[in-house]
Structure formats: structure tokens, C-alpha cells
Amino acid sequence: MSSIVFDAGPIISLTLNNLLHILPELKLRYNGDFYITREVYRELIEQPLGTKKYKFEAMQILPYIASGTLKIVEHDGVKAVAAGLEHSANRAFSAERNHIRIVHPADMEVVAAALHLSSEAVVFDERTTRTLIEDPIALKNHLARKLHTDVIMDEDKVKDISKQIGHLKVIRSFELVALAFELGFLDKFIAPGEEIYVTGLKSKLLEGALWSIKLSGCSVSQEEIEETLSLLGDKLL
Amino acid sequence: MQMNHKIRADILSILRDAIRVLEEKDSYSLRQLSDHSIHNASIFQDSHSISIAVVIYALSKIIDRMARIEPQVIEALKWAKDKLEQNDIPGYEAELTSLVRLISDFDSRMGKYTHQVISEARIKKGSRIYEHGISLAQTAKLLGTTQWELMRYIGQTTIADGFNDKPSMRQRLDFTRGLFR
């Protein structure tokens, strides 16, 4: 069975933008399952339910878990693989004779779950884990630039990590929303008769949705938004 | 109780400067001082660098809001500096805890439902650590905040922009289309 594993970030982005409804619609078109890990469940549901803030948001996510749109990965082996990945990732870069802990065990659990399930993709909105998978050299250069110090990369560790996880494909909530627009899943935000008041409704809908996802913390640049608007231009008519 | 020599020297320097600029009610300089410890907080991820960054930033926000600072805050900072100079780490930590309590008392006097100044400071400092290249989940754990809070704040800044451009946007979209064909 095909699968896609979600980190907490993309679900948070969709929730904050009233876009969770695209998940079951996308899943209907996908020949497989959507998964989250136990730690992601904790961040999305258990933690906010214990506070005043984001409790309502957690209650909006819960039905998608109860209905099976998002399944929870339950496998003892995932934690063991995650621990190994975390150990390597958090020893891959060092500065001032200190290993920099770049990732959290929860990040590596998402990756380990994707490995366990042989998933087609992982969904990450935060950029550190995504860049570790896609381009660890860029991560090293970024750390050095921001920390204003030499960052030493353990090439053996990075090679080992890349060998294990470099083949994973990463997408963001941004791409999911762009595709949802393309497939007409956002059309519910346009009611008949609105064009009397506002011209270029579809264009405004797409631009608004993409910017909202960025403004909710998805790691995407303004240039990528502009490129996406240009690439989806023929869908705006 | 141990503290890394470099971290101790940096915190002492921050405390000395903070006491001076607090007396001048210079909130901008306080924020700059707070940023200094983010470098150490990102590399060493120690509680001392993180807590001093949060406390100093919170004090800058109080000055912004109140245009004054209560004398016991400056006294607590002086005590914290003295304890650290004596290498009394538990004593230093106790003074910093009392500072957090003073700031929280300020919040409750303002009639807030949550400890706003401290939680805002945590989010702000967390966003800087994330900016340095530490993952969102790891940053949330270090600051004792949530990914919900961090994402909402980070999204309003340029911090969330990516720093790798491969694969290209076209490739990302094509791949995603392929998943849902």
C-alpha cells in the first residue's frame, strides 16, 4: 500500500487556514494512506488540548484522525530507526567543538516511519529536516553563515544519513494546496455571483491560499510563490 | 553544577551591559544583547543561554510598554551577575528564576490570561534559533513552547524562506501531481 507521512507542521498550516478539508479529497485521489507518528499526534492533539490556546484547532484535526484520513503509525521498529538517525544527524555538524543538535527525535520519527512504510513522500513545512534530506551541504552552509563561525561537517555521517534518507521525496503543505487548487478543491471558497463584486476571483483565491500557507510558517520563498502562480497560470482562467 | 566557560563569560558580559542599558531604559540595546546569546543558544542549546536571552528580551518589552522598570528588577540582575561572578551557578539560577517571577507578576498585574511577556519572548527567541538552522520541533522543545506558536510567528517574518533551491518549484509541483494522478 502506498503511503505519505506527515510532520506536524503541514497539518498546523492547513488547520490555521481552514484547509484541512483538502486532506480527504486528496486522499480519495491517492491510492494509499496518510500517516502521522505518535509524536506528531501529541503535538497536534494532546499538547493543545492541555492549554487554552489551540485547543479549538486540535478539535478540528481530531475528526480527520478518528475517520482514518490520518492514521497513526504504530510500530516499535520506527523508534529504534529514529534514534539511530537522530544520533547521526545530531553529530553531523559541529561548531566550537560542540555537536549541533539540529533535529528533534520527533523529526526523525517521521522520517523513520516513511522508511518503515516505504512511503512515496514525507510532508515537512519546516526547512531544517527537509534540507537535511534534500541538500545537507546547503544546511551546513546556512549554519555557518548564521552562526558566524566555522561549521565542521562530518562527511562520513552525512554520507551515511544521505544513504539512508536521501532518496525520500519531500513535499510541503504549499504543494498540496497548489494541487488542491488545480483539482478544484478550493472552488468552495468561491460562490456564484461573487464575480460581480470582485474580478479575477480564481487568481485571487490561489494567491491568497498560497500566501496564507507561507504566513502560517511553511518554509517557502516569495519567489516560489510567484513561480507557482506563473506555473498554474492556465488554471486561473 | 557546571557552566561552560565561554557561556559563563558571555552571560556575564550580557548582564553587565544589561544593567547599564536598563538604567538608561534603552530597549533597543537590550534586544541586541538578547540576540548575542542566541549564537550560544543555537550551538550549545544550554538552558543558561536560552533563559538569559528570554529574560533580557522580556525586559526590553516591559520597557517598551511601561517606559520604566522597577528597581527590584535591576537589583535581581545585579544579584544574578554577582552570583555568576562567584561561580555560584545554583545561586545564579535562583536569581534568574526570581526575575522570571517578577516579570510574570508584571503580566498578572496587567490582567493578562497568560504569561504574555515571557511567552512572547520565548517565541521571539525560538524564531531566531530556528532561523539559525535548528529544526522547529527541536526549537520548540528548547524554548518550552509549541510548534503552533512558533509557526504562526515565523510565518510573519522572512525567516521561513527556504535556503535550498533543489529540487526546483516546477519539479516539486510535477512530483506532487504524480502522487495524486
Side-chain angles (χ1 to χ4, degrees), chain A residues 4 8-9 12-13 15-16 26 29-30 34 43-44 47-48 52-54 57 61 95-96 98-104 107 120-121 125-131 134-135 138-139 142-143 146-147 169-172 174-176 178-179 182 214-221 224 227-228 231-232, chain B residues 4 6 10 38-45 113-114 116 119 123 127-142 144-181:
Chain A
I4 297 173
I12 292 173
S13 297
T15 310
L16 293 176
L26 285 170
R29 287 190 65 102
Y30 182 65
F34 293 169
E43 177 71 23
L44 294 175
Q47 196 282 333
K52 296 186 191 86
K53 255 183 163 178
Y54 303 113
E57 285 81 354
I61 298 170
E96 299 182 18
N98 188 77
H99 294 307
I100 307 173
R101 294 183 63 84
I102 53 168
V103 292
H104 186 268
D107 300 318
E120 289 189 279
D125 276 7
E126 72 93 20
R127 63 187 181 182
T128 302
T129 312
R130 174 163 64 88
T131 313
E134 293 178 340
D135 190 357
L139 182 55
H142 177 84
L143 286 164
K146 284 291 174 185
L147 294 169
K169 298 288 184 192
V170 187
I171 56 177
R172 301 167 285 193
F174 181 81
E175 282 82 25
L176 293 178
L179 189 73
E182 205 169 64
K214 175 179 172 51
L215 293 171
S216 303
C218 178
S219 168
V220 58
S221 66
E224 285 179 302
E227 194 180 347
T228 304
L231 289 168
L232 298 186
Chain B
N4 175 300
K6 181 183 184 304
D10 284 349
I38 289 302
H39 172 89
N40 284 342
S42 300
I43 294 175
F44 298 102
Q45 301 185 10
Y113 286 112
T114 54
Q116 192 135 341
S119 65
I123 294 161
S127 73
R128 298 300 310 276
I129 291 175
Y130 176 68
E131 183 182 18
H132 279 63
I134 309 305
S135 88
L136 199 73
Q138 178 65 5
T139 303
K141 181 199 155 202
L142 288 173
T145 185
T146 67
Q147 293 183 55
W148 291 89
E149 297 279 16
L150 285 174
M151 283 189 74
R152 197 162 230 179
Y153 180 81
I154 286 164
Q156 312 298 315
T157 70
T158 55
I159 291 169
D161 290 9
F163 47 71
N164 67 320
D165 52 9
K166 33 184 204 188
S168 69
M169 197 61 241
R170 182 184 290 274
Q171 287 171 315
R172 287 186 193 282
L173 279 175
D174 285 346
F175 174 74
T176 310
R177 281 189 189 109
L179 288 173
F180 300 95
R181 195 171 286 129

Side-chain angles (χ1 to χ4, degrees), chain B residues 25-28 30-31 57-69 106:
Chain B
K25 302 180 185 67
D26 179 355
S27 61
Y28 175 75
L30 272 177
R31 280 195 283 279
Y57 183 82
L59 291 175
S60 81
K61 299 308 286 183
I62 290 178
I63 290 183
D64 281 346
R65 288 175 197 183
M66 303 276 286
R68 67 182 171 80
I69 203 83
F106 159 80

